[in-house]
Amino acid sequence: LHGQDQHQSLLGAAGQRDALDGFSGLMELRAEVGVLHWALASLRAEHEDLTVRERERARREETLRRELAEFEATNPRPGEDEELARDERLLRHAVEVSRLAGQAFGHLSEDDDSVMTRLGGATDAVTKLASFDPQAASILAALVQARVAVSEAAREIGRYLDAGEFDPARLEQVGARLAALDRLTRKYGATLADVLEYRASAVLELLGLGGAAARLAEISGGLERADQDYLARAGKLSGLRRQAAGKLEKAVAAELRTLAMEGTRLAISVMPLDEGRGGPMGMDEIEFLIAPNNGEELRPLSRIASGGELSRLMLAVRNAAEGRD
């Protein structure tokens, strides 16, 4: 009727649970509960991982916001450090710069014997020469171009003269700005270009961290729904198991009478697991209890049943499950 040692399956919790669920037609519902438990466990694992990462994310976000606030307070511009370094050199040597610029400006355009004066005389002479020899026109063009270049150079030198005398306040301002930029380069990059690149990457990272927080909120909502779905289906399974337990007890009792075990009594305990211990098989701990003789106390089947009793009990359970009269 059944294989050798097959009755041993009733000694384990899994075999007793299968016997009850098989008898009551709950295998399909149990499979649904298993799928829901897997989904719930997956979400819990992801939620736990995201929660740990959320703490790290929050710390990282705080760091990035602090760094970006520092960038915002300084607000560096590309190439600003080079411009300021040049201004500082000029300011530190303002007197010498002014002297050299004045000297050059005089040689180019102010002195009686300046370059512009000599070029003017040369231009006048070549202009008369060109009236005799048209080939001298190219020389005249070169002289005109030279006068334009010298005039432009004089204007450029004039900028140094317009800067005026040494300005200690401006030098202090430039020095303070360079020091602020230097603090950034010591913390965020070897050059100002590296600092600006770091700032751009920090902005992008901060935006990405906001997306991680949204994912955690989404997972939290999904976890709550999955938990409710699992509890609903597992709760239904538990209720049906408790109803089926009494029916199986009666059916097995009837079968045991046909197997000369009239005095044997089977009771099926369906007890809830500890809170929060629901698993893929539901939220119940199922145990078969047996009293081999009238008046004996019910005790776990695995502890007291003999091999012969187990064989006949297995047959009785199987017959009950198959609906044998």
Side-chain angles (χ1 to χ4, degrees):
L1 292 176
H2 55 92
Q4 185 177 9
D5 293 333
Q6 187 178 353
H7 59 275
Q8 297 291 332
S9 64
L10 281 181
L11 292 176
Q16 294 174 11
R17 181 177 55 244
D18 288 347
L20 176 60
D21 290 346
F23 166 78
S24 50
L26 295 176
M27 288 300 196
E28 184 175 347
L29 177 58
R30 193 175 83 182
E32 292 179 21
V33 169
V35 171
L36 290 172
H37 180 269
W38 175 86
L40 178 59
S42 298
L43 284 173
R44 279 177 176 165
E46 185 176 2
H47 185 271
E48 182 178 352
D49 178 61
L50 285 174
T51 300
V52 172
R53 288 163 55 190
E54 171 61 16
R55 290 192 289 269
E56 298 172 355
R57 186 205 66 79
R59 287 193 293 268
R60 179 59 178 163
E61 181 177 356
E62 182 181 357
T63 299
L64 288 173
R65 290 191 184 280
R66 184 174 60 252
E67 291 174 350
L68 289 174
E70 186 177 2
F71 283 122
E72 186 176 349
T74 307
N75 193 25
R77 295 181 291 103
E80 183 182 5
D81 54 340
E82 297 176 358
E83 295 175 9
L84 290 170
R86 174 183 172 276
D87 289 347
E88 186 184 40
R89 286 193 302 272
L90 292 175
L91 287 166
R92 287 188 181 281
H93 303 90
V95 175
E96 181 67 6
V97 167
S98 181
R99 184 189 69 80
L100 292 173
Q103 183 180 342
F105 189 80
H107 287 322
L108 288 176
S109 63
E110 272 196 344
D111 296 347
D112 293 337
D113 196 29
S114 68
V115 174
M116 286 295 290
T117 300
R118 287 178 173 273
L119 281 174
T123 302
D124 292 342
V126 174
T127 300
K128 294 176 182 178
L129 177 62
S131 65
F132 298 107
D133 183 4
Q135 291 186 357
S138 61
I139 301 174
L140 179 61
L143 288 171
V144 171
Q145 187 175 5
R147 291 189 67 184
V148 171
V150 171
S151 178
E152 180 63 26
R155 281 196 297 272
E156 288 293 319
I157 289 175
R159 291 191 302 106
Y160 294 97
L161 295 174
D162 293 338
E165 298 180 353
F166 172 66
D167 184 355
R170 173 60 182 160
L171 179 60
E172 183 178 355
Q173 183 182 30
V174 170
R177 182 65 178 172
L178 281 171
L181 295 179
D182 183 61
R183 285 193 293 271
L184 291 180
T185 54
R186 286 200 306 269
K187 292 175 68 174
Y188 304 113
T191 66
L192 186 59
D194 295 334
V195 169
L196 293 171
E197 183 178 349
Y198 180 86
R199 178 174 66 176
S201 66
V203 170
L204 292 176
E205 184 180 354
L206 188 60
L207 291 174
L209 291 176
R215 176 58 180 164
L216 179 59
E218 180 184 348
I219 287 293
S220 297
L223 180 61
E224 184 177 353
R225 290 190 297 272
D227 190 50
Q228 291 173 352
D229 291 343
Y230 172 79
L231 289 176
R233 298 304 284 171
K236 181 179 180 180
L237 178 62
S238 297
L240 292 175
R241 278 172 170 167
R242 284 190 290 270
Q243 295 176 17
K247 296 178 181 179
L248 181 57
E249 289 171 357
K250 294 178 180 178
V252 169
E255 291 294 332
L256 290 175
R257 285 193 292 271
T258 68
L259 298 172
M261 296 180 67
E262 297 88 347
T264 301
R265 181 164 58 98
L266 175 70
I268 301 174
S269 171
V270 181
M271 298 295 294
L273 295 171
D274 293 341
E275 186 175 356
R277 282 188 54 206
M281 300 296 177
M283 301 185 297
D284 310 304
E285 181 178 7
I286 298 169
E287 186 175 30
F288 282 21
L289 306 171
I290 188 173
N293 301 297
N294 289 325
E296 290 189 13
E297 180 184 354
L298 286 167
R299 286 182 288 177
L301 175 64
S302 58
R303 295 182 184 176
I304 64 169
S306 65
E309 288 172 333
L310 274 176
S311 297
R312 285 181 286 173
L313 183 59
M314 181 67 182
L315 179 60
V317 171
R318 180 173 177 178
N319 289 342
E322 293 176 355
R324 177 176 174 180
D325 295 332

